[in-house]
Coordinates of all heavy atoms in Angstrom, one line a residue:
R860 N -37.9 -39.0 43.0 CA -37.9 -38.0 42.0 C -39.3 -37.6 41.4 O -39.6 -36.5 41.2 CB -37.1 -38.4 40.8 CG -35.6 -38.5 41.1 CD -35.0 -37.1 41.1 NE -33.5 -37.1 41.3 CZ -32.9 -36.2 41.7 NH1 -33.3 -34.9 41.8 NH2 -31.5 -36.3 41.9
R861 N -40.1 -38.6 41.3 CA -41.5 -38.4 40.8 C -42.5 -37.9 41.8 O -43.7 -37.6 41.4 CB -42.0 -39.6 40.1 CG -41.3 -39.9 38.7 CD -41.9 -41.0 37.9 NE -41.1 -41.1 36.7 CZ -41.0 -42.2 36.1 NH1 -41.5 -43.3 36.5 NH2 -40.2 -42.1 35.0
E862 N -42.2 -38.0 43.1 CA -43.1 -37.5 44.2 C -43.1 -36.0 44.2 O -42.1 -35.4 43.9 CB -42.6 -38.1 45.5 CG -43.1 -39.3 45.9 CD -42.7 -39.6 47.4 OE1 -41.5 -40.1 47.5 OE2 -43.5 -39.5 48.3
S863 N -44.3 -35.5 44.5 CA -44.4 -34.1 44.6 C -43.8 -33.6 46.0 O -43.7 -34.4 46.9 CB -45.9 -33.6 44.6 OG -46.5 -34.0 45.8
Y864 N -43.4 -32.4 46.0 CA -43.0 -31.7 47.2 C -43.9 -31.9 48.3 O -43.5 -32.3 49.5 CB -42.6 -30.3 46.9 CG -42.3 -29.5 48.2 CD1 -41.0 -29.6 48.8 CD2 -43.1 -28.5 48.7 CE1 -40.6 -28.9 49.9 CE2 -42.7 -27.6 49.7 CZ -41.5 -27.8 50.3 OH -41.1 -27.1 51.4
R865 N -45.2 -31.7 48.1 CA -46.3 -31.8 49.0 C -46.3 -33.3 49.6 O -46.4 -33.6 50.7 CB -47.6 -31.5 48.4 CG -48.7 -31.6 49.4 CD -50.0 -31.0 48.8 NE -51.1 -31.2 49.7 CZ -52.3 -31.0 49.5 NH1 -52.7 -30.7 48.2 NH2 -53.3 -31.2 50.2
A866 N -46.3 -34.3 48.7 CA -46.3 -35.6 49.1 C -45.1 -36.0 50.0 O -45.3 -36.7 50.9 CB -46.4 -36.6 47.8
I867 N -44.0 -35.5 49.7 CA -42.8 -35.8 50.5 C -42.9 -35.2 51.9 O -42.7 -35.7 52.9 CB -41.5 -35.4 49.8 CG1 -41.2 -36.3 48.6 CG2 -40.3 -35.4 50.7 CD1 -40.1 -35.9 47.7
R868 N -43.5 -34.0 51.9 CA -43.7 -33.3 53.2 C -44.7 -34.0 54.0 O -44.5 -34.2 55.2 CB -44.2 -31.9 53.1 CG -43.0 -31.0 52.6 CD -43.1 -29.6 52.9 NE -43.4 -29.3 54.3 CZ -43.9 -28.2 54.7 NH1 -44.2 -27.2 53.8 NH2 -44.2 -27.9 56.0
E869 N -45.7 -34.6 53.4 CA -46.7 -35.4 54.1 C -46.2 -36.8 54.6 O -46.4 -37.1 55.7 CB -47.9 -35.7 53.1 CG -48.8 -34.5 52.9 CD -49.9 -34.8 51.8 OE1 -50.1 -35.9 51.3 OE2 -50.6 -33.8 51.5
R870 N -45.3 -37.3 53.7 CA -44.6 -38.5 54.2 C -43.7 -38.2 55.4 O -43.6 -39.1 56.3 CB -43.8 -39.1 53.0 CG -43.2 -40.5 53.3 CD -42.9 -41.2 51.9 NE -42.2 -40.5 51.0 CZ -40.8 -40.5 50.8 NH1 -40.1 -41.2 51.7 NH2 -40.2 -39.9 49.9
L871 N -43.0 -37.1 55.4 CA -42.1 -36.8 56.5 C -43.1 -36.5 57.7 O -42.7 -37.0 58.8 CB -41.3 -35.6 56.1 CG -40.3 -35.1 57.2 CD1 -39.4 -36.2 57.7 CD2 -39.5 -33.9 56.8
N872 N -44.2 -35.8 57.6 CA -45.0 -35.6 58.7 C -45.5 -36.9 59.3 O -45.6 -37.0 60.6 CB -46.2 -34.7 58.3 CG -45.9 -33.2 58.2 OD1 -45.0 -32.8 58.9 ND2 -46.4 -32.6 57.2
F873 N -46.0 -37.8 58.4 CA -46.4 -39.1 59.0 C -45.3 -39.9 59.6 O -45.5 -40.5 60.7 CB -46.9 -40.0 57.8 CG -47.4 -41.2 58.1 CD1 -48.6 -41.4 58.8 CD2 -46.6 -42.5 57.9 CE1 -49.0 -42.8 59.3 CE2 -47.1 -43.7 58.2 CZ -48.2 -43.8 59.0
A874 N -44.1 -39.9 59.1 CA -42.9 -40.5 59.7 C -42.7 -39.9 61.1 O -42.3 -40.6 62.0 CB -41.7 -40.3 58.8
V875 N -42.8 -38.6 61.3 CA -42.6 -38.0 62.6 C -43.8 -38.5 63.6 O -43.3 -38.8 64.7 CB -42.5 -36.5 62.5 CG1 -42.6 -35.8 63.9 CG2 -41.3 -36.1 61.8
E876 N -44.9 -38.5 63.1 CA -46.0 -39.0 64.0 C -45.8 -40.4 64.4 O -46.0 -40.8 65.5 CB -47.4 -38.8 63.2 CG -47.8 -37.4 63.0 CD -49.0 -37.3 62.1 OE1 -49.7 -38.3 61.9 OE2 -49.3 -36.2 61.7
R877 N -45.4 -41.3 63.3 CA -45.0 -42.7 63.7 C -43.9 -42.8 64.7 O -43.9 -43.6 65.6 CB -44.7 -43.3 62.4 CG -44.7 -44.8 62.4 CD -44.5 -45.4 61.0 NE -44.0 -46.8 61.2 CZ -43.0 -47.3 60.5 NH1 -42.3 -46.6 59.7 NH2 -42.6 -48.6 60.7
T878 N -42.9 -41.9 64.6 CA -41.8 -42.0 65.5 C -42.3 -41.6 66.9 O -41.9 -42.2 67.9 CB -40.6 -41.0 65.0 OG1 -40.3 -41.3 63.7 CG2 -39.5 -41.1 65.9
L879 N -43.1 -40.5 67.0 CA -43.6 -40.1 68.3 C -44.4 -41.3 69.0 O -44.3 -41.6 70.2 CB -44.3 -38.9 68.2 CG -43.5 -37.6 67.9 CD1 -44.5 -36.5 67.6 CD2 -42.6 -37.3 69.0
A880 N -45.2 -42.0 68.1 CA -46.0 -43.1 68.6 C -45.1 -44.2 69.1 O -45.3 -44.8 70.2 CB -46.9 -43.6 67.5
A881 N -44.0 -44.4 68.3 CA -43.0 -45.5 68.8 C -42.4 -45.2 70.0 O -42.2 -46.1 70.9 CB -42.0 -45.7 67.6
I882 N -41.9 -43.9 70.2 CA -41.4 -43.4 71.5 C -42.3 -43.7 72.6 O -41.9 -44.2 73.7 CB -41.0 -41.9 71.4 CG1 -39.8 -41.7 70.4 CG2 -40.6 -41.4 72.8 CD1 -39.6 -40.3 70.1
D883 N -43.6 -43.4 72.4 CA -44.6 -43.5 73.4 C -44.8 -45.0 73.8 O -45.1 -45.3 74.9 CB -45.9 -42.9 73.0 CG -46.9 -42.9 74.0 OD1 -46.7 -42.3 75.2 OD2 -48.1 -43.3 73.9
S884 N -44.6 -45.9 72.9 CA -44.9 -47.3 73.1 C -43.8 -48.0 73.8 O -44.0 -49.1 74.3 CB -45.2 -48.0 71.8 OG -44.0 -48.2 71.0
L885 N -42.6 -47.4 73.8 CA -41.4 -48.1 74.4 C -41.4 -47.8 75.9 O -41.7 -46.7 76.4 CB -40.2 -47.5 73.9 CG -39.9 -47.8 72.3 CD1 -38.8 -47.0 71.8 CD2 -39.6 -49.3 72.3
S886 N -41.0 -48.8 76.7 CA -40.9 -48.6 78.1 C -39.6 -47.7 78.3 O -38.8 -47.6 77.4 CB -40.6 -50.0 78.8 OG -39.3 -50.5 78.4
E887 N -39.4 -47.2 79.5 CA -38.2 -46.4 79.8 C -37.0 -47.2 79.5 O -36.0 -46.7 79.0 CB -38.3 -45.9 81.3 CG -39.3 -45.0 81.6 CD -39.2 -43.6 80.8 OE1 -38.2 -43.0 80.9 OE2 -40.2 -43.2 80.2
R888 N -37.0 -48.5 79.9 CA -35.9 -49.3 79.8 C -35.5 -49.5 78.3 O -34.4 -49.4 77.9 CB -36.1 -50.7 80.4 CG -35.0 -51.7 80.4 CD -35.2 -52.9 81.2 NE -34.2 -53.8 81.1 CZ -34.2 -54.9 80.2 NH1 -35.2 -55.0 79.4 NH2 -33.1 -55.6 80.1
E889 N -36.6 -49.8 77.5 CA -36.4 -50.0 76.0 C -35.8 -48.9 75.3 O -35.0 -48.8 74.5 CB -37.7 -50.4 75.4 CG -38.1 -51.8 75.7 CD -39.6 -52.0 75.2 OE1 -40.4 -51.2 75.2 OE2 -39.8 -53.2 74.7
L890 N -36.4 -47.6 75.8 CA -35.9 -46.3 75.2 C -34.6 -45.9 75.7 O -33.8 -45.4 74.8 CB -36.9 -45.3 75.6 CG -36.8 -43.9 74.9 CD1 -37.0 -44.0 73.4 CD2 -37.9 -42.9 75.5
L891 N -34.2 -46.0 76.9 CA -33.0 -45.3 77.5 C -31.9 -46.1 77.8 O -30.8 -45.5 78.0 CB -33.5 -44.5 78.7 CG -34.6 -43.4 78.3 CD1 -35.1 -42.9 79.6 CD2 -34.0 -42.3 77.4
E892 N -32.1 -47.4 78.0 CA -30.9 -48.3 78.3 C -30.2 -48.9 77.1 O -30.8 -49.4 76.2 CB -31.3 -49.5 79.2 CG -31.7 -49.0 80.6 CD -32.1 -50.2 81.5 OE1 -31.6 -51.2 81.3 OE2 -32.9 -50.0 82.5
P893 N -28.9 -48.8 77.1 CA -28.1 -49.5 75.9 C -28.2 -51.0 76.0 O -28.5 -51.6 77.0 CB -26.7 -49.1 76.2 CG -26.6 -48.2 77.4 CD -28.0 -48.1 78.1

């Protein structure tokens, strides 16, 4: 509630960047096999 709209958007952008880095760090097996 006390975070600014801008701060939340920045946090979301960072989370997306972190997710893309995580995807990149996973092997095909880790990413795609159940």
Side-chain angles (χ1 to χ4, degrees):
R860 290 282 181 195
R861 291 191 176 147
E862 268 186 280
S863 70
Y864 174 69
R865 181 178 177 188
I867 290 172
R868 285 203 54 198
E869 287 172 4
R870 189 159 48 94
L871 181 57
N872 283 322
F873 179 74
V875 169
E876 289 172 17
R877 189 172 165 230
T878 305
L879 290 169
I882 293 167
D883 190 50
S884 75
L885 293 167
S886 69
E887 292 297 307
R888 183 174 177 266
E889 290 171 320
L890 185 65
L891 300 170
E892 288 184 27

